[in-house]
């Protein structure tokens, strides 16, 4: 009987240890799955058609983002801008892109948007005075 008791004790200990290991493995796998869902910075590269919902009427245009050296750069043009403005401080982290640009008489504008495949949604902060909703859609090459 002592051997049977020892065998049962070892079996119970191994089962307990396995029950602790399973949640750790599941957490690790969940972390890997989340990492795969993260979007790489190169997926933000391209031309995007945007619409900013202004207080009176929407404003639309295009912005483009490119990889350059160690970072991202870009340009923006649209109805509310005179010509084209260079994007500054273009950052892409955890599925969010952010950048700024000089909008002339409107001042410095900051943009922050979440990336969801071929679409962006976020806000435009116009010189700290007003925040407006922004939507953008990736333009496909034809």
């Amino acid at each position: 009987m002592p051997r049977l008791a020892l065998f049962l004790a070892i079996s119970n200990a191994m089962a307990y240890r396995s029950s602790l290991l399973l949640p750790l493995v599941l957490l690790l796998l969940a972390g890997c799955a989340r990492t795969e869902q993260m979007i790489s910075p190169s997926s933000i590269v391209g031309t995007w058609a945007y619409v900013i919902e202004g207080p009176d009427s929407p404003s639309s245009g295009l912005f483009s983002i490119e990889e350059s050296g160690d970072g991202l750069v870009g340009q923006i043009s649209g109805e509310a801008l005179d010509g084209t403005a260079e994007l500054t401080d273009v950052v892409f982290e955890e599925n969010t892109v952010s950048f700024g640009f000089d909008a002339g008489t409107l001042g410095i504008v900051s943009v922050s948007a979440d990336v969801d495949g071929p679409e962006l949604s976020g806000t435009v902060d116009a010189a700290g005075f007003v925040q407006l909703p922004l939507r953008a859609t990736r333009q496909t090459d034809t």
Side-chain angles (χ1 to χ4, degrees):
M1 287 286 182
R3 285 186 179 178
L4 180 60
L6 180 61
F7 175 76
L8 290 175
I10 291 172
S11 295
N12 285 340
M14 290 179 71
Y16 176 73
R17 188 173 175 191
S18 295
S19 69
L20 291 177
L21 186 59
L22 181 62
L24 292 175
V25 169
L26 291 176
L27 283 173
L28 178 63
L29 290 175
C32 290
R34 185 175 188 275
T35 301
E36 290 176 1
Q37 293 174 355
M38 298 292 284
I39 300 171
S40 71
S42 63
S43 64
I44 194 74
V45 170
T47 301
W48 299 79
Y50 70 85
V51 175
I52 299 169
E53 296 297 331
D56 298 324
S57 63
S59 176
S60 62
L62 297 172
F63 68 86
S64 62
I65 296 177
E66 303 172 9
E67 290 182 288
S68 174
D70 293 340
L72 298 168
V73 296
Q75 298 180 341
I76 188 167
S77 62
E79 298 169 346
L81 297 172
D82 288 331
T84 301
E86 295 294 319
L87 301 184
T88 59
D89 303 320
V90 182
V91 177
F92 183 73
E93 292 180 339
E94 298 183 10
N95 298 353
T96 299
V97 63
S98 61
F99 56 84
F101 63 94
D102 186 346
T105 58
L106 298 174
I108 302 298
V109 174
S110 300
V111 175
S112 178
D114 294 327
V115 180
D116 186 11
E119 298 181 354
L120 301 175
S121 61
T123 58
V124 173
D125 185 336
F129 293 111
V130 63
Q131 287 191 342
L132 303 170
L134 166 118
R135 292 184 330 274
T137 304
R138 179 188 297 278
Q139 301 300 287
T140 56
D141 295 329
T142 55

